[in-house]
Each structure stands twice: as C-alpha cells, then as structure tokens.
Amino acid sequence: MYRITKEFHFSASHQLFGLPPEHQCARLHGHNYIVVVELTAAELNAHGFVRDYLDLGDLKRYIDDTLDHRHLNDVLGDDCVTAERMAKHLFDWCRARWPEVTAVKVSETPKTWAEYRP
C-alpha cells in the first residue's frame, strides 16, 4: 500500500459550550491548527502518484477561504467544535473529492492530535 500525506495550517477561534465554567476550553480562545490529510492506494496512477499533491490545493483554498481567521462555531454552526469534529468535517470534505483519502488528523497544540479514520 502506498501512503502520502500533506500538511496544512490555519488559525481560528472556537468555544466549547456545556463544559464547567472553570474549564479553559469553555472560554472563547484560538489555536494555530495543523491539518494532515492522508491518502492511500494499492496501485500508483499513470504518473507514479497516489494523487498529485497539486490536486490538494483545493483543500488549501477551502481552509484559507472558509476556516482561516474565523470563529469555527459560526462557520460550522456547532457549539462543540472539537479537534475530533474538525477531523471528521475535513475528512468528509476531502473524501467527497478524492476517494484515496483514508484519514485526517488535526492538531490544536504541539502536543495534541485528533484523527478521523473510518
């Protein structure tokens, strides 16, 4: 199996409702997010790729135009925009375009990662 990944970055705010008031994530706050999309294939295409990295420019445009420097609760219409839910949202967005997508990982901090892999 061949596997490729590509990393993307954006900054955005969010707030998690329903947590105790003393929980730091209950307050409005922001992160410098890292997103890693993973694609796999048993065979390479005619050009020797799982998928041309240039094709993934659509994800960069989506991130830049829709998520970067936005309030994610407003963008996604959700009061619980966690890294886990961001990973699923981005997985669904990518998988609708590229069938080779097998996972999406999202980091909110240098030490934390959430991954969606069906």
Side-chain angles (χ1 to χ4, degrees):
M1 185 68 66
Y2 296 95
R3 181 182 324 248
I4 64 169
T5 61
K6 185 161 173 125
E7 184 175 292
F8 302 87
H9 296 246
F10 71 98
S11 299
S13 66
H14 72 140
Q15 186 172 6
L16 302 180
F17 294 91
L19 294 172
E22 65 276 4
H23 194 290
Q24 63 189 14
C25 294
R27 296 187 300 269
L28 176 64
H29 64 286
H31 298 285
N32 295 315
Y33 287 91
I34 301 172
V35 174
V36 176
V37 62
E38 174 188 281
L39 299 87
T40 62
E43 303 291 330
L44 299 177
N45 68 19
H47 303 287
F49 300 143
V50 169
R51 169 148 310 260
D52 191 332
Y53 285 113
L54 291 177
D55 293 346
L56 303 181
D58 289 343
L59 178 55
K60 174 155 178 35
R61 282 184 287 283
Y62 174 74
I63 288 171
D64 289 349
D65 295 346
T66 309
L67 304 176
D68 190 40
H69 285 82
R70 308 280 180 175
H71 183 59
L72 298 177
N73 299 77
D74 293 343
V75 171
L76 300 177
D78 191 335
D79 285 345
C80 190
V81 181
T82 61
E84 293 89 340
R85 289 187 172 168
M86 284 296 303
K88 173 72 162 81
H89 171 79
L90 291 167
F91 175 88
D92 291 344
W93 191 95
C94 291
R95 188 65 174 269
R97 288 150 183 83
W98 310 300
E100 305 89 353
V101 172
T102 50
V104 171
K105 292 172 49 173
V106 174
S107 172
E108 291 180 337
T109 73
K111 295 182 181 180
T112 61
W113 288 90
E115 178 176 310
Y116 182 79
R117 177 185 303 270

